[in-house]
């Protein structure tokens, strides 16, 4: 859409390209001058316990839902039915692998059966290498002493993924076929992914009651969007020519979908499944706050008594589960690709082997159903306590030896960068900040980005938490700057060397999957309950994404260009700054975009460690009835900030590419 | 051929497992079933567990007694207060064991929706207030009087407090008037919200270890007091009604009589678990003991409860009358 603005003035393009940074600088200078003049006026501050009319109205809405849930037909015939179906699904999966049922003191399938099934399925859909990894990973849960917790987590994850795919794939196919539906869905998907879960935990338990069903629904809300987006993308990426060829053969629309579009997009759809599983696992600890069983509960409980070791042990199990599921689905995607290319001719032993494996697994399942030794994981899980005490020792050492350094770093960044920037944002009149944001949107992203910015600013004011929003914006911006710093340094390093890539990548994966609750305690010890702690937590979560994207961009710079530069006598530094980074510019913008969205998704976690502002409002809304409406408004404000920056950066990215 | 070989090996392995399995104990034929079957009178007892260790101690002991003496099937549900109270109406929660004067929730669920009723005191006295680490109280004994706080305000400055002294508050679900107190007592302090109990405890732990200046909100009974015995700062003393207007509060917090809330349905059900909840009564020391078993000695809830119950059989018997 930004292209339209450009196209109107082709002659002016050159001039505008030269002057754009100057216009930005001009806007910023005007802001600074006006800030100096108008400081402290019309800042729309609201104290922690104060409410606006909107907040009170939301409270009343919440109360009336609670009071009428047993008589309202929407509940009796709609929500309660959904709840019933999902509850049955969860209970069924739990009774299979994690919870005792009826008179049985153990679930239907014991550890041996689960490990057998996992290995077999991984081998069948992937290859024997991931099967080995899966078996090792699952056995590790038992050795950690977390077998049942892991299975509870797996049961919830599986149930949520099943529901998410049942909803997500059809919607994704629809969005893939219809541009109009795709346009309608996109804002909803943005909303579902950016709205902090804390905001809807309380209403969800109100509607779907406490327990498995609510936990699964929370997870589905967060995990379904990737499935929808990626399926739509897959359908769209099927080559035009193939579709036309099918058309000329006289296929109906249904045939086209079933015989051409879906089979050809299978590999990408499997990647969507992968993303959905990862998103579901990210919800494990949050869902524990409404009594979802499993590893998340262990993490949350350990946090109450500041037991870093136990929390780390459970967090590690989540990481291992994520790695296993990720590698298995990735291998499955590769296999569908390979199968499509080679056909089934080579694999004539596959069928008998599958059958033999199936029988073997059936035996294992029978054994684990019947005998105690195969049903309950043997041993006391002493590996877990070793891991826990090692983690404890490490954190204590770090806390004792690094806190001088970390405090200095915190004070430097807080006083040098965060405080001035925050003052500028919170002490300027609201309309001045609003106008600046809209103007920046117009210059960087074009007309539509400016309109989006204007709408978002207006709605932000309407939420009544403008001032908190600006405080959060300041921390978010500083965190994003740090993310990009790490992104460029490590991304370039990884992009230039395959070995470095292979060494660093597992750490990045772990940092993305490890529940933030696990590292909150060590960070609190190192940095205190401050905004900076929240920034560090956000950087740990968001930097891996930025690093991966930039590494990818740098690697995609054509070999020949780099060689040409080398032969022209450029040194390494020049190659990086003059060739590789400029050519990876679109990767840099994408990294900024994703980095910012990921940082925003950590705002609530930041509220738990002293960041205050919107994160605290959201947590408070979840904890206190009279602050419920304010929490909801704060959640909306986070979404609005996310949407505004996403649209501006994306439009800016389209412009730089154009 | 390699594939053949692999299939053969798998087959052998399975055969081997089947043979060795013949000697194993079968599921269900041992006496491993934990709870002894009751007369079926108690049935399922849904107990909310709110997220602090003191409450976890209450719940551990009540659950243990309900399970072993009454034969109930206890379902513990880990929930925050607000969500737990919601559960009274829907039958998901039978009892909340430690309520900290949540008058708003009482108004909403007891007098409003009538889904909950009070079930008497736990015997625990809840003390809320401003606390400093022990080293600080020792080095500057006059700090325990609020009138001297301004003298030290500069020492409490942090990167978060904007030039004033920092008063650290914790979890948003705490009952707190701190912002109003600072304003009405005209103190040169700023309330900074740590956002979680974990953050608060870690702040005190670091402060005591590194001799740092920290003042903040805290409460008793609390397991952390057995690790670092924080010292309370005296605010203007509490008189009945001095906290009536939340915006004008200028006095200390009252001593809370912690009480139990049960669902209206549960109270009428005639379940022996209801009588247990109603009769459950112990002291701060009792709770701290169990909380310490859980948080410091890292015992499981059940093991901690068993240890305390075995040592205090007389108290438990009184609850069961």
């Amino acid at each position: 859409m930004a292209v339209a603005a450009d196209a109107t003035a082709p002659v002016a393009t050159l001039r505008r390209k030269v002057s754009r940074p100057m216009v930005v600088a001009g806007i910023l200078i005007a802001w600074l001058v006006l800030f100096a003049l108008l400081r402290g006026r019309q800042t729309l501050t609201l104290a922690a316990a104060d409410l606006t009319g909107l907040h009170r109205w939301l409270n009343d809405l919440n109360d009336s839902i609670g009071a009428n849930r047993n008589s309202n037909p929407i509940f009796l015939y709609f929500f309660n039915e959904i709840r019933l179906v999902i509850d049955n699904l969860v209970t069924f999966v739990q009774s299979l692998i994690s919870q005792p049922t009826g008179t049985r003191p153990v679930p239907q399938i014991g550890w041996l059966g689960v490990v057998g099934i996992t290995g077999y399925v991984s081998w069948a859909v992937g290859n024997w290498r991931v099967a080995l990894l899966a078996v090792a990973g699952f056995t590790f849960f038992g050795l950690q002493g977390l077998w049942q917790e892991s299975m509870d987590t797996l049961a919830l994850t599986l149930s949520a993924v099943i529901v998410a795919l049942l909803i997500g794939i059809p919607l994704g196919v629809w969005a893939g076929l219809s541009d109009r539906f795709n346009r309608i869905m996109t804002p909803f998907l943005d909303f579902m992914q950016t709205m902090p879960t804390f905001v809807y935990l309380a209403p969800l338990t109100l509607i779907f009651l406490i327990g498995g069903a609510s936990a699964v629904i929370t997870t589905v809300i967060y995990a379904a969007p990737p499935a929808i987006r990626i399926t739509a993308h897959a359908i769209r990426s099927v080559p035009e020519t193939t579709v036309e060829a099918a058309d000329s053969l006289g296929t109906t629309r249904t045939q086209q979908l079933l015989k051409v579009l879906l089979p050809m997009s299978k590999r990408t759809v499997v990647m969507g499944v992968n993303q959905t599983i990862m998103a579901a696992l990210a919800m494990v600890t949050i869902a524990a706050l409404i009594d979802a069983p499993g590893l998340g509960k262990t993490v949350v409980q350990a946090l109450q008594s500041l037991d870093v070791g136990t929390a780390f042990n459970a967090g590690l199990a989540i990481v291992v589960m994520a790695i296993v599921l990720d590698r298995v689905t990735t291998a499955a995607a590769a296999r569908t690709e390979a199968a499509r290319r080679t056909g089934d001719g080579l694999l004539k032993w596959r069928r008998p082997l599958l059958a033999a494996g199936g029988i073997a697994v059936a035996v294992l399942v029978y054994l684990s159903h019947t005998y105690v030794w195969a049903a309950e994981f043997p041993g006391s899980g002493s590996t877990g306590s070793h891991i826990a005490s090692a983690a404890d020792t490490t954190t204590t050492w770090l806390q004792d030896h690094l806190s001088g350094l970390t405090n200095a770093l915190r004070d430097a960044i807080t006083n040098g960068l965060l405080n001035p920037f925050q003052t500028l944002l919170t002490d300027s009149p609201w309309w001045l900040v609003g106008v600046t944001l809209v103007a920046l949107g117009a210059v960087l992203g074009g007309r539509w980005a400016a309109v989006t910015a204007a709408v978002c600013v207006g709605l932000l004011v309407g939420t009544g938490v403008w001032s908190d929003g600006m405080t959060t914006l300041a921390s978010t911006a500083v965190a994003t700057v740090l993310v990009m710093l790490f992104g460029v340094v490590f991304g370039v390093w990884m992009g230039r060397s395959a070995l470095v890539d292979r060494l660093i990548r597992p750490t990045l994966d772990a940092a993305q999957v490890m529940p933030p609750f696990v590292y909150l305690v060590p960070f609190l010890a190192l940095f205190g309950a401050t905004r900076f702690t929240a920034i560090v937590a956000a950087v740990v979560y968001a930097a891996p994404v930025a690093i991966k994207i930039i590494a990818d961009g740098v690697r995609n710079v054509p070999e020949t260009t780099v060689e040409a530069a080398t032969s022209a006598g450029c040194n390494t530094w020049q190659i990086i700054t003059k060739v590789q980074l400029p050519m990876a510019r679109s990767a840099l913008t994408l990294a900024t975009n994703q980095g910012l969205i990921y940082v925003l998704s950590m705002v609530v976690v930041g509220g738990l460690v002293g960041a205050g502002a919107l994160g605290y409002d959201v947590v408070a809304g979840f904890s206190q009835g009279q602050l419920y409406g304010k929490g909801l408004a704060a959640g909306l404000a986070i979404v609005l900030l996310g949407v505004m920056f996403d649209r501006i950066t994306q439009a800016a990215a389209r412009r730089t590419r154009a | 051929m390699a594939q053949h070989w692999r299939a053969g090996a798998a087959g052998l392995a399975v055969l081997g497992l089947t043979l060795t399995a013949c000697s194993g104990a079968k599921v269900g034929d041992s006496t491993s079933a934990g709870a002894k079957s009751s007369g079926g009178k108690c049935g399922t007892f849904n107990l909310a567990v709110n997220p602090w260790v003191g409450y976890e101690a209450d719940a551990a002991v009540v659950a243990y007694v309900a399970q072993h003496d009454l034969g109930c099937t206890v379902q513990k549900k880990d929930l925050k207060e607000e969500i737990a109270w919601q559960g009274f109406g829907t039958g998901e929660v039978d009892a909340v064991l430690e309520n900290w004067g949540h008058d708003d929730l009482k108004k909403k669920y007891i007098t409003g929706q009538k889904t909950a009723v009070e079930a008497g005191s736990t015997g625990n006295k809840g003390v809320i207030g401003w606390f400093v680490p022990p080293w600080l109280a020792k080095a500057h004994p006059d700090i325990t009087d609020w009138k001297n706080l301004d003298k030290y305000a500069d020492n409490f400055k942090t990167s978060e407090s904007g030039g004033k002294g920092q008063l650290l508050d914790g979890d948003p679900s705490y009952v707190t008037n701190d912002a109003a107190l600072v304003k009405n007592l005209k103190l040169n302090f700023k309330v900074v919200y740590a956002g979680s109990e974990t953050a608060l405890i870690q702040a005190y732990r670091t402060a005591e270890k590194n001799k740092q200046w920290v003042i903040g909100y805290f409460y008793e009974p609390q397991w952390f007091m057995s690790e670092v015995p924080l010292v309370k700062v005296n605010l203007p003393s509490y008189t009945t009604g001095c906290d009536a207007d939340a915006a004008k509060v200028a006095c200390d917090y009252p001593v809370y009589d912690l009480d139990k809330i049960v669902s209206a349905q549960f109270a009428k059900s005639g379940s022996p678990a209801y009588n247990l909840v109603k009769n459950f009564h112990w002291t701060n020391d009792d709770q701290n003991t169990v909380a310490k078993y859980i948080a410091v000695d890292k015992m499981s809830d059940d093991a901690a409860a068993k240890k305390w119950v075995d040592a205090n059989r007389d108290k438990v018997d009184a609850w069961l009358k």
Side-chain angles (χ1 to χ4, degrees):
Chain A
M1 273 165 234
V3 182
D6 276 344
T8 52
V11 198
T13 316
L14 189 69
R15 199 184 61 209
R16 203 187 290 178
K17 251 187 194 147
V18 176
S19 63
R20 198 181 293 159
M22 286 165 70
V23 177
V24 171
I27 294 173
L28 295 178
I29 289 168
W31 181 15
L32 284 173
V33 170
L34 285 170
F35 163 75
L37 294 174
L38 299 165
R39 182 173 185 173
R41 268 173 254 180
Q42 289 158 315
T43 56
L44 301 181
T45 42
L46 191 69
D50 289 350
L51 302 177
T52 69
L54 175 74
H55 304 161
R56 282 194 202 92
W57 180 77
L58 289 168
N59 281 348
D60 293 344
L61 188 72
N62 186 37
D63 288 349
S64 71
I65 291 176
N68 297 319
R69 83 174 303 288
N70 287 330
S71 54
N72 192 319
I74 299 180
F75 276 97
L76 294 179
Y77 302 106
F78 183 68
F79 288 138
N80 287 2
E81 299 297 321
I82 294 180
R83 180 192 127 76
L84 209 65
V85 171
I86 292 184
D87 215 28
N88 281 330
L89 174 71
V90 180
T91 318
F92 172 71
V93 181
Q94 280 185 323
S95 72
L96 280 184
I97 58 171
S98 68
Q99 294 286 346
T101 43
T103 52
R104 280 176 68 83
V106 288
Q108 298 291 339
I109 305 176
W111 71 271
L112 190 64
V114 173
V115 170
I117 293 172
T118 314
Y120 176 67
V121 171
S122 311
W123 172 68
V125 303
N127 52 50
W128 64 269
R129 246 178 275 129
V130 294
L132 212 62
L133 175 78
V135 168
F138 273 58
T139 313
F140 181 63
F141 299 147
L143 296 176
Q144 280 185 296
L146 293 169
W147 180 260
Q148 205 207 335
E149 289 84 348
S150 303
M151 287 308 106
D152 269 322
T153 294
L154 185 66
L156 279 184
T157 309
L158 286 181
S159 313
V161 169
I162 291 169
V163 178
L165 293 180
L166 277 178
I167 301 169
I169 290 189
L171 285 178
V173 169
W174 190 2
L177 295 175
S178 152
D179 282 337
R180 187 212 287 221
F181 184 69
N182 194 35
R183 267 202 303 277
I184 298 174
M185 276 308 280
T186 307
F188 283 104
L189 298 181
D190 289 346
F191 188 82
M192 284 158 81
Q193 282 187 297
T194 344
M195 189 69 161
T197 328
F198 273 76
V199 171
Y200 53 81
L201 278 181
L204 264 188
T205 54
L206 197 63
I207 296 174
F208 295 108
L209 305 184
I210 296 151
S214 286
V216 165
I217 292 168
T218 323
T219 313
V220 167
I221 295 176
Y222 186 69
I228 301 175
R229 278 188 219 265
I230 293 177
T231 308
H233 172 73
I235 298 276
R236 274 163 203 282
S237 322
V238 173
E240 198 77 11
T241 47
T242 322
V243 182
E244 276 164 17
D247 254 345
S248 65
L249 289 172
T251 49
T252 63
R253 262 186 90 81
T254 324
Q255 278 174 332
Q256 204 182 75
L257 180 66
L258 293 178
K259 306 272 175 189
V260 182
L261 291 175
L262 280 181
M264 288 202 66
S265 49
K266 208 153 88 186
R267 189 184 84 96
T268 320
V269 173
V270 177
M271 289 318 294
V273 175
N274 173 301
Q275 287 303 304
T276 300
I277 294 176
M278 294 300 117
L281 273 176
M283 286 297 301
V284 166
T285 37
I286 306 284
L289 295 173
I290 49 169
D291 200 45
L295 295 166
K297 216 172 208 182
T298 314
V299 171
V300 171
Q301 266 174 2
L303 198 66
Q304 277 168 35
S305 48
L306 285 73
D307 184 352
V308 181
T310 306
F312 179 78
N313 191 37
L316 189 63
I318 297 175
V319 172
V320 169
M321 188 176 291
I323 289 176
V324 168
L325 295 177
D326 174 64
R327 298 300 185 265
V328 170
T329 42
T330 311
R335 165 159 226 119
T336 39
E337 174 91 320
R340 193 157 60 87
R341 253 192 261 119
T342 57
D344 288 331
L346 278 172
L347 306 163
K348 91 176 152 187
W349 288 108
R350 198 168 151 75
R351 245 170 240 278
L353 271 174
L354 279 176
I359 295 170
V361 169
V363 172
L364 293 182
V365 169
Y366 167 76
L367 289 177
S368 73
H369 180 78
T370 316
Y371 295 100
V372 172
W373 63 268
E376 287 171 344
F377 202 90
S380 57
S382 54
T383 317
S385 46
H386 289 308
I387 294 173
S389 62
D392 266 335
T393 319
T394 316
T395 26
T396 315
W397 188 88
L398 286 175
Q399 286 165 12
D400 289 349
H401 291 80
L402 290 183
S403 59
L405 194 70
T406 50
N407 284 341
L409 182 70
R410 175 195 70 198
D411 290 344
I413 291 193
T414 307
N415 294 327
L417 198 59
L418 183 57
N419 281 346
F421 191 41
Q422 184 175 321
T423 314
L424 182 62
L425 278 167
T426 53
D427 286 6
S428 292
W430 68 268
W431 51 266
L432 179 59
V433 181
V435 167
T436 311
L437 287 171
V438 174
L440 285 177
V443 175
L444 295 174
R447 196 191 305 160
W448 282 104
V451 172
T452 316
V455 172
C456 288
V457 167
L459 291 173
L460 268 172
V461 172
T463 58
V465 287
W466 171 266
S467 181
D468 281 354
M470 289 304 109
T471 310
T472 295
L473 179 55
S475 307
T476 312
V478 170
T480 311
V481 168
L482 293 177
V483 164
M484 289 309 291
L485 217 62
F486 280 104
V488 169
V489 171
F490 285 92
V492 169
W493 197 17
M494 279 169 68
R496 291 172 55 86
S497 153
L499 178 69
V500 174
D501 188 289
R502 211 169 309 141
L503 289 176
I504 294 181
R505 201 165 278 265
T507 317
L508 300 183
D509 289 346
Q512 274 187 289
V513 187
M514 180 63 88
F517 282 39
V518 173
Y519 46 79
L520 287 189
V521 172
F523 281 8
L524 280 166
L526 287 175
F527 304 105
T530 60
R531 285 163 294 158
F532 188 69
T533 311
I535 290 177
V536 177
V539 169
V540 168
Y541 183 64
V545 188
I547 294 175
K548 283 180 189 174
I549 294 173
I550 293 175
D552 216 41
V554 169
R555 201 171 305 120
N556 285 342
V557 172
E559 198 78 16
T560 47
T561 321
V562 178
E563 273 164 21
T566 317
S567 61
C570 294
N571 60 29
T572 312
W573 177 251
Q574 283 169 328
I575 290 178
I576 293 173
T577 52
K578 305 275 185 217
V579 181
Q580 286 177 320
L581 280 180
M583 289 196 67
R585 198 162 50 186
S586 70
L588 285 175
T589 354
L590 179 64
T592 317
N593 175 293
Q594 289 297 298
L596 210 135
I597 301 289
Y598 272 66
V599 167
L600 271 178
S601 72
M602 289 284 287
V603 163
V604 174
V605 171
L608 295 171
V609 291
L614 292 183
Y616 180 87
D617 292 340
V618 169
V619 180
F622 174 56
S623 310
Q624 279 200 38
Q626 70 266 36
L627 291 177
Y628 166 78
K630 193 178 186 186
L632 190 56
L636 281 173
I638 294 175
V639 174
L640 289 167
L641 286 175
V643 168
M644 181 160 67
F645 284 98
D646 178 64
R647 295 301 181 270
I648 294 178
T649 44
Q650 282 203 11
R654 273 198 295 273
R655 282 192 147 192
T656 43
R657 232 175 293 147
Chain B
M1 284 327 273
Q3 312 258 7
H4 257 317
W5 187 85
R6 236 184 271 154
L12 272 180
V14 169
L15 191 68
L17 278 173
T18 322
L19 289 175
T20 50
C22 291
S23 54
K26 287 189 174 179
V27 167
D29 64 6
S30 64
T31 51
S32 65
K36 44 185 170 180
S37 60
S38 64
K41 203 170 162 260
C42 179
T44 307
F45 169 35
N46 296 308
L47 184 58
V49 184
N50 292 166
W52 58 89
V53 182
Y55 190 118
E56 208 181 325
D58 295 349
V61 170
V62 169
Y64 182 85
V65 174
Q67 199 176 340
H68 291 269
D69 292 296
L70 303 174
C72 309
T73 314
V74 182
Q75 298 265 6
K76 281 194 202 168
K77 307 202 169 174
D78 291 296
L79 303 163
K80 282 210 161 199
E81 294 105 300
E82 175 75 13
I83 310 265
W85 286 62
Q86 252 179 33
F88 289 140
T90 55
E92 305 278 309
V93 170
D94 290 331
V96 164
L97 288 178
E98 187 177 299
N99 167 51
W100 282 72
H102 276 292
D103 288 332
D104 53 328
L105 293 176
K106 282 189 175 173
K107 200 172 133 206
K108 185 161 157 189
Y109 293 99
I110 295 181
T111 49
Q113 299 183 12
K114 298 197 183 358
T115 51
V117 291
E118 295 182 352
S121 154
T122 62
N124 290 142
K125 295 280 172 264
V127 178
I128 294 179
W130 296 358
F131 288 79
V132 291
W135 81 265
L136 189 54
K138 210 168 161 200
H140 303 275
D142 62 337
I143 207 165
T144 55
D145 185 351
W146 71 273
K147 284 182 196 124
N148 299 321
L149 283 178
D150 262 355
K151 194 167 83 187
Y152 296 110
D154 275 356
N155 298 85
F156 288 112
K157 257 198 272 188
T158 70
S159 63
E160 307 304 295
S161 58
K164 298 177 176 180
Q166 168 179 285
L167 179 71
L168 199 63
D169 259 39
D171 188 289
S173 54
Y174 291 165
V175 176
T176 167
N177 306 323
D178 288 353
L181 275 170
V182 166
K183 197 172 137 214
N184 298 329
L185 294 175
K186 301 192 174 58
L187 292 172
N188 187 25
F189 276 75
K190 184 184 170 195
V191 179
V192 171
Y193 296 94
S196 61
E197 182 163 304
T198 309
L200 199 55
I201 292 179
Q202 185 62 53
Y204 278 121
R205 189 181 266 177
T206 318
E208 177 62 14
K209 196 171 173 184
N210 303 340
K211 303 264 179 292
Q212 288 165 342
W213 288 70
V214 165
I215 182 167
Y217 178 105
F218 214 67
Y219 65 92
E220 287 180 287
Q222 231 289 357
W223 64 271
F224 181 64
M225 291 286 193
S226 62
E227 184 188 318
V228 178
L230 302 176
V231 181
K232 191 169 181 299
V233 174
N234 295 314
L235 295 171
S237 50
Y238 176 83
T239 50
T240 316
C242 74
D243 56 354
D245 184 349
K248 291 187 185 145
V249 179
C251 60
D252 211 339
Y253 294 89
V255 173
Y256 288 92
D257 188 13
L258 304 188
D259 61 346
K260 300 157 285 189
I261 312 290
V262 296
S263 92
Q265 227 175 336
F266 181 60
K268 278 181 269 173
S269 68
S271 161
Y274 171 65
N275 284 328
L276 171 64
V277 171
K278 206 166 156 39
N279 295 336
F280 169 70
H281 199 272
W282 66 352
T283 63
N284 282 12
D285 283 344
D286 290 328
Q287 195 200 62
N288 283 340
T289 309
V290 180
K292 182 180 160 290
Y293 292 159
I294 295 172
V296 183
D297 306 341
K298 302 196 175 167
M299 293 168 77
S300 73
D301 286 11
D302 230 31
K306 183 176 184 332
K307 188 168 171 186
W308 186 87
V309 169
D310 288 349
N312 295 277
R313 198 64 232 183
D314 49 327
K315 287 189 185 175
V316 175
D317 285 338
W319 304 339
L320 292 170
K321 268 176 200 153

